[in-house]
Amino acid sequence: ISASSWCPSCRVLYCCLSLSCLLIASSTTYGLGGFLRYGSNKASADDAMWQFFQPFSGGTAFVATQAISWSIFAATVVTMVVLIQQLVAGVAHCFRCWAIGAGTCMVAAQAVSICLR
């Protein structure tokens, strides 16, 4: 069965499932993965080496990589939300192109996120 023959509500469900997978994958990769790899290495009792929110800390290459990764992640979330809105309104065109583009951005965000770890 091709994606073009799906009913509109099935397409919305597919996009919501894709967005859920993106959010779970990013929180698992970044949040849980970072904690498991760096969370137990503490310099002192109140100064952890890794935190989920660490703005502009960790070196230039790490900060640049994280900025690129989170930017791609944000673009992917916006793309998925726009696609869902278009599907609900019934004006979505080229569904497969949007889905492939969003999926590629999802993979790119994850790849860049773990690039320098």
Side-chain angles (χ1 to χ4, degrees):
I1 298 176
S2 69
S4 61
S5 65
W6 292 357
C7 63
S9 61
C10 294
R11 290 182 181 189
V12 171
L13 181 62
Y14 170 77
C15 289
C16 290
L17 180 63
S18 297
L19 185 59
S20 299
C21 289
L22 169 68
L23 296 174
I24 290 169
S26 63
S27 64
T28 302
T29 301
Y30 184 73
L32 183 61
F35 176 76
L36 291 177
R37 184 161 182 190
Y38 301 110
S40 61
N41 299 332
K42 294 185 177 182
S44 66
D46 59 350
D47 185 31
M49 291 186 66
W50 185 89
Q51 297 173 346
F52 190 84
F53 182 69
Q54 47 185 347
F56 305 108
S57 62
T60 306
F62 181 78
V63 170
T65 304
Q66 291 299 305
I68 291 168
S69 175
W70 285 111
S71 297
I72 295 171
F73 172 79
T76 304
V77 170
V78 168
T79 301
M80 293 300 296
V81 168
V82 167
L83 185 56
I84 291 170
Q85 286 177 340
Q86 288 181 349
L87 286 170
V88 169
V91 295
H93 297 285
C94 194
F95 177 77
R96 184 174 293 156
C97 296
W98 280 94
I100 289 172
T104 302
C105 286
M106 288 178 195
V107 172
Q110 291 298 307
V112 173
S113 174
I114 60 174
C115 183
L116 289 178
R117 293 196 181 186

